[in-house]
């Protein structure tokens, strides 16, 4: 590996417009071209493998957030009892995560940053 790195000294990566040094490509294409592991992609793969429940919850949440329909239409596939059970389970998870990770952990990044800046102005 050391020889490979030394042989790339002075070379530029041809895979994108950045033309990074061949021994330190910054994009996935460059890392793949030079046979280096793609840490960013590995992190994404690890997150995807973290469980289908989390992935499904994320998908449902994104869809519900972006859907331009009333809640009744959005949840029409569920019975009243199923909606109540779902609400209880989500409340239970939220409470648990707030205790485990702190109340601010459930806010979006934008809200956390805004709150931080607001506190520092005082």
């Amino acid at each position: 590996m050391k020889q490979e790195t030394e042989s790339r000294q002075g070379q530029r990566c041809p895979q994108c417009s950045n033309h990074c040094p061949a021994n330190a490509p910054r994009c996935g294409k460059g890392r793949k071209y030079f046979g280096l592991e793609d840490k960013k992609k590995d992190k994404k793969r690890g997150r995807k493998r973290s469980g289908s429940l989390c992935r499904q919850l994320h998908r449902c949440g994104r869809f519900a957030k972006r859907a331009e329909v009333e809640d009744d239409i959005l949840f029409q596939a569920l019975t009243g009892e199923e909606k109540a059970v779902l609400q209880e389970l989500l409340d239970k998870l939220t409470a648990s995560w707030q205790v485990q990770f702190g109340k601010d952990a459930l806010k979006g990044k934008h809200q956390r940053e805004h709150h931080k800046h607001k506190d520092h102005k005082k």
Side-chain angles (χ1 to χ4, degrees):
M1 182 71 177
K2 188 176 179 182
Q3 283 181 330
E4 289 176 17
T5 304
E6 288 174 359
S7 69
R8 289 189 225 132
Q9 291 292 75
Q11 288 184 352
R12 292 289 179 182
C13 178
Q15 296 299 304
C16 73
S17 61
N18 291 331
H19 300 291
C20 303
N23 61 343
R26 291 178 284 198
C27 69
K29 287 181 183 180
R31 287 187 290 273
K32 185 176 180 181
Y33 180 78
F34 291 108
L36 302 172
E37 70 180 77
D38 192 347
K39 292 178 184 175
K40 288 182 181 178
K41 220 171 199 172
D42 289 345
K43 284 183 183 178
K44 287 180 183 177
R45 282 189 198 124
R47 190 170 48 219
K48 284 182 181 177
R49 281 184 271 151
S50 68
S52 61
L53 179 61
C54 189
R55 187 170 58 242
Q56 189 68 18
L57 184 62
H58 180 76
R59 282 185 190 156
C60 288
R62 284 180 55 131
F63 184 83
K65 182 178 179 180
R66 290 181 169 82
E68 295 182 9
V69 296
E70 297 295 320
D71 286 358
D72 291 344
I73 295 170
L74 196 59
F75 295 102
Q76 70 184 4
L78 301 177
T79 66
E81 187 178 324
E82 289 171 330
K83 289 177 195 176
V85 169
L86 178 59
Q87 185 65 55
E88 286 177 29
L89 292 172
L90 292 173
D91 289 344
K92 185 176 182 178
L93 281 173
T94 302
S96 171
W97 292 340
Q98 285 178 335
V99 169
Q100 190 173 2
F101 304 111
K103 288 184 179 182
D104 284 346
L106 297 178
K107 292 181 181 176
K109 182 179 179 183
H110 176 72
Q111 289 175 313
R112 286 192 306 267
E113 292 299 318
H114 177 73
H115 187 67
K116 252 191 237 180
H117 295 300
K118 192 176 175 182
D119 288 346
H120 290 299
K121 287 181 181 179
K122 291 180 179 178

